[in-house]
Each structure stands twice: as structure tokens, then as C-alpha cells.
Amino acid sequence: MNVTTARRGGLLSTERRTQPGPDPLPLSQRRREALHLDIARAAVTLFTSRGVTATTGEHIAQAVGISSRTLWRHFPRKESCVRPLLTAGLDAAVAALEHWPANIRLVAYLESLQEHPALATPDPAVLDLLRLARTDPDLRAVWLQAHDDALPVIAGLLARRSGGRPDDLDVQVHAAIVNSALRVGAENFALHSASTCPTATPHLLRALRLAVQGLPY
């Protein structure tokens, strides 16, 4: 049986699992993704210990064991090195919505996933990154851009559910509400609840419940 490598968990997780499916990604792509996550983790570790300003691209490259030239071939600036940690979690959240049944409301469906074995605990590196992004404008720009890039995908999923079009005003507004709820829920969890709660799922669900009240999803 063929397996495909997939993100597992939710918005704050970057773990992977294998599941039945088509042929896996090409080895070169899997290696590239693995390198990107290694770079992202090294960047967060250095940003946390040294500070963002004091950390250079050369420091990040050295921590990963690659040349500075290789690092800059993959990322345009040091702050963008963290993006793979953020997009991994968003990809997982969007992938979960891809399987949203037509007869179940959004929050009820996400609640049904809480006990799924694929759900993982939050990645400590992501939590550290969100705390850093609270005060560093360049890291926050990367975080906000990751969510902005996810917005059309979420709009497409909601449009398919509602029978509308992704560029309809109401669909775009609803997508922005869901997207913002995920973002604010993740930030709030990282800043206030991560030390006492083993998983972010209840926190994110609460944010979504507040966001979708009155929406047709």
C-alpha cells in the first residue's frame, strides 16, 4: 500500500504522519521541506536566545550546517526563515476543512476531530515564534502574510459549502472571520494558556465558536 506524508495536528503543530493515499511526494521535495523546517527551527531558537536583531543569516546557516549561500537561496531574509513553521500549521487546518461533511456545522465538525489520533500537541517552536512575533514587527509581518495567503483557500472552501463564489463579498468576509479567529486563538493560546493546557484545540474551538455565531456554517 502506498502512503503519503501529510501534516498532522492543528494550527500550532508541525508533526507529520503517514496515511493511505497516492504516491508520496518526490524525495527532493520532501528533503527540501525537511530542510526548510530545520532552518525555521534553528532561526526560532536563535531569535529566542540571541534576539532577532543580533541574529544573522550566517548564524542560522551555521546552526543548520549549511552555507549562507544555500540559506539565501531558500529564503530572501532572515525573518522569512520562520515561515515554514507557520504555514505547516495553516496547511493542516485547511486540510481538515477539506474533509468537512456537508451535513455538519463547522464547529461541530472540528469538535469531532479533538479525539482524533492525528491531533498533536502544539509545537514549542511555533509557540516561541508567536510570542516573538508579538513584539517584533518583521516576524509579525511573516505571520500575518501566512494568514493572508491562506484567506483565498478558506474562501474557496466556504464558497463550496455555501454554493456561492470565492469572490462573493459575504464569502470573503466570512473567510476573513474564520481566518482571524484561528490567528487570534493561536496567539492568545501561545501567550496565555500554553503553560497550563497540553493542546490548543479547545482554545481554537472557542475562538471559532465566538466567530461563527450567526454565520451559515
Side-chain angles (χ1 to χ4, degrees):
M1 178 177 63
N2 291 329
V3 296
T4 183
T5 302
R7 304 286 182 195
R8 81 171 187 169
L11 189 64
L12 301 178
S13 172
T14 57
E15 293 189 37
R16 291 174 172 269
R17 64 185 173 90
T18 56
Q19 63 183 25
D23 291 336
L25 294 173
L27 180 60
S28 59
Q29 185 173 342
R30 282 180 282 152
R31 285 176 173 169
R32 180 184 177 88
E33 289 187 358
L35 175 61
H36 283 183
L37 280 174
D38 287 344
I39 292 171
R41 292 183 188 284
V44 172
T45 298
L46 289 167
F47 290 161
T48 302
S49 61
R50 301 174 63 102
V52 179
T53 302
T55 299
T56 66
E58 288 70 22
H59 291 144
I60 298 171
Q62 185 177 22
V64 180
I66 60 176
S67 68
S68 298
R69 182 177 180 181
T70 298
L71 178 75
W72 299 131
R73 193 162 63 239
H74 289 272
F75 297 99
R77 54 195 178 92
K78 64 181 182 182
E79 291 85 3
S80 65
C81 290
V82 304
R83 183 178 170 87
L85 282 173
L86 302 175
T87 55
L90 282 168
D91 287 348
V94 170
L97 291 176
E98 287 279 2
H99 302 285
W100 176 18
N103 61 335
I104 300 179
R105 295 183 70 85
L106 175 60
V107 173
Y109 169 59
L110 295 177
E111 285 176 339
S112 73
L113 299 179
Q114 286 192 75
E115 304 302 323
H116 194 284
L119 284 175
T121 55
D123 189 323
V126 178
L127 298 177
D128 287 340
L129 177 54
L130 293 185
R131 296 182 191 110
L132 288 168
R134 179 177 174 84
T135 56
D136 186 277
D138 292 324
L139 291 180
R140 184 152 190 83
V142 175
W143 169 234
L144 294 177
Q145 185 62 55
H147 272 274
D148 192 58
D149 291 344
L151 189 57
V153 181
I154 297 174
L157 292 170
L158 296 185
R160 187 175 66 191
R161 176 61 179 261
S162 67
R165 298 183 308 175
D167 59 352
D168 287 345
L169 178 60
D170 55 345
V171 171
Q172 290 190 334
V173 170
H174 295 163
I177 291 171
V178 171
N179 196 14
S180 294
L182 291 172
R183 177 181 60 79
V184 173
E187 292 172 354
N188 190 274
F189 176 81
L191 292 170
H192 302 298
S193 302
S195 61
T196 58
C197 186
T199 174
T201 305
H203 211 78
L204 295 174
L205 285 173
R206 182 184 174 195
L208 282 170
R209 285 191 203 98
L210 293 170
V212 302
Q213 288 177 0
L215 298 185
Y217 304 104

